[in-house]
Coordinates of all heavy atoms in Angstrom, one line a residue:
R167 N 0.3 -0.7 5.6 CA -0.1 0.3 6.5 C -0.5 1.6 5.9 O -1.5 2.3 6.2 CB 1.0 0.6 7.6 CG 1.3 -0.6 8.5 CD 2.5 -0.2 9.3 NE 2.9 -1.4 10.2 CZ 2.9 -1.3 11.5 NH1 2.7 -0.2 12.1 NH2 3.3 -2.4 12.2
A168 N 0.2 2.0 4.9 CA -0.1 3.3 4.2 C -1.4 3.2 3.5 O -2.2 4.2 3.6 CB 1.0 3.6 3.2
S169 N -1.7 2.1 2.8 CA -3.0 2.0 2.1 C -4.1 1.9 3.1 O -5.2 2.5 2.9 CB -3.0 0.7 1.2 OG -2.1 0.8 0.2
L170 N -3.9 1.2 4.2 CA -5.0 1.1 5.2 C -5.2 2.5 5.9 O -6.4 2.8 6.0 CB -4.5 0.1 6.3 CG -5.5 -0.2 7.4 CD1 -6.9 -0.6 6.9 CD2 -5.0 -1.2 8.4
A171 N -4.2 3.2 6.2 CA -4.4 4.6 6.7 C -5.1 5.5 5.7 O -6.0 6.3 6.1 CB -3.1 5.2 7.2
A172 N -4.7 5.4 4.5 CA -5.3 6.2 3.4 C -6.8 5.9 3.3 O -7.6 6.8 3.1 CB -4.6 6.1 2.1
T173 N -7.1 4.6 3.3 CA -8.5 4.2 3.2 C -9.3 4.7 4.4 O -10.5 5.1 4.2 CB -8.6 2.6 3.1 OG1 -7.8 2.2 2.0 CG2 -10.0 2.2 2.9
L174 N -8.7 4.6 5.6 CA -9.4 5.1 6.8 C -9.7 6.6 6.6 O -10.8 7.1 7.0 CB -8.6 4.9 8.0 CG -8.6 3.4 8.5 CD1 -7.6 3.3 9.7 CD2 -10.0 3.0 8.9
R175 N -8.7 7.4 6.1 CA -9.0 8.8 5.9 C -10.1 9.1 4.9 O -10.9 10.0 5.1 CB -7.7 9.5 5.5 CG -6.6 9.6 6.6 CD -5.5 10.5 6.1 NE -4.5 10.6 7.2 CZ -3.4 9.7 7.3 NH1 -3.3 8.7 6.4 NH2 -2.6 9.9 8.2
D176 N -10.1 8.2 3.9 CA -11.1 8.4 2.9 C -12.5 8.0 3.4 O -13.5 8.7 3.1 CB -10.8 7.4 1.7 CG -11.9 7.5 0.6 OD1 -12.1 8.6 0.1 OD2 -12.5 6.5 0.3
K177 N -12.6 7.0 4.3 CA -13.9 6.6 4.9 C -14.4 7.5 6.0 O -15.6 7.7 6.1 CB -13.7 5.2 5.4 CG -13.3 4.1 4.4 CD -14.3 3.8 3.4 CE -13.8 2.7 2.5 NZ -14.8 2.4 1.4
F178 N -13.5 8.0 6.8 CA -13.9 8.8 8.0 C -13.5 10.2 8.0 O -13.8 10.9 9.0 CB -13.3 8.1 9.3 CG -13.9 6.7 9.5 CD1 -13.2 5.6 9.1 CD2 -15.1 6.5 10.2 CE1 -13.7 4.3 9.4 CE2 -15.6 5.3 10.5 CZ -14.9 4.2 10.0
G179 N -12.8 10.7 7.0 CA -12.3 12.0 7.0 C -13.4 13.1 7.1 O -13.2 14.2 7.7
D180 N -14.6 12.8 6.5 CA -15.7 13.8 6.6 C -16.2 13.9 8.0 O -17.0 14.9 8.3 CB -16.8 13.3 5.7 CG -17.4 12.0 6.1 OD1 -16.7 11.0 6.3 OD2 -18.7 11.9 6.1
L181 N -15.9 13.0 8.9 CA -16.4 13.2 10.3 C -15.4 14.0 11.2 O -15.8 14.4 12.3 CB -16.5 11.8 11.0 CG -17.5 10.8 10.3 CD1 -17.5 9.5 11.0 CD2 -18.9 11.4 10.3
E182 N -14.2 14.3 10.7 CA -13.3 15.1 11.4 C -13.7 16.6 11.4 O -14.4 17.0 10.5 CB -11.9 15.0 10.8 CG -11.3 13.6 11.0 CD -9.8 13.6 10.5 OE1 -9.6 13.8 9.3 OE2 -9.0 13.4 11.4
Q183 N -13.3 17.3 12.4 CA -13.6 18.7 12.6 C -12.3 19.5 12.7 O -11.8 19.6 13.8 CB -14.5 19.0 13.8 CG -15.8 18.3 13.7 CD -16.6 18.3 15.0 OE1 -16.2 18.9 15.9 NE2 -17.8 17.7 15.0
P184 N -11.7 19.9 11.6 CA -10.4 20.6 11.7 C -10.5 21.9 12.6 O -11.5 22.5 12.6 CB -10.1 20.9 10.2 CG -10.9 20.0 9.4 CD -12.2 19.8 10.2
A185 N -9.5 22.1 13.3 CA -9.4 23.4 14.1 C -9.4 24.6 13.1 O -8.7 24.5 12.1 CB -8.2 23.4 15.0
T186 N -10.1 25.6 13.5 CA -10.1 26.8 12.7 C -9.5 28.0 13.4 O -9.9 28.3 14.6 CB -11.6 27.2 12.3 OG1 -12.2 26.1 11.7 CG2 -11.6 28.4 11.4

Side-chain angles (χ1 to χ4, degrees):
R167 294 176 181 236
S169 295
L170 183 55
T173 303
L174 286 176
R175 289 190 181 90
D176 180 59
K177 302 291 187 184
F178 293 97
D180 62 310
L181 298 178
E182 291 186 295
Q183 300 170 1
T186 304

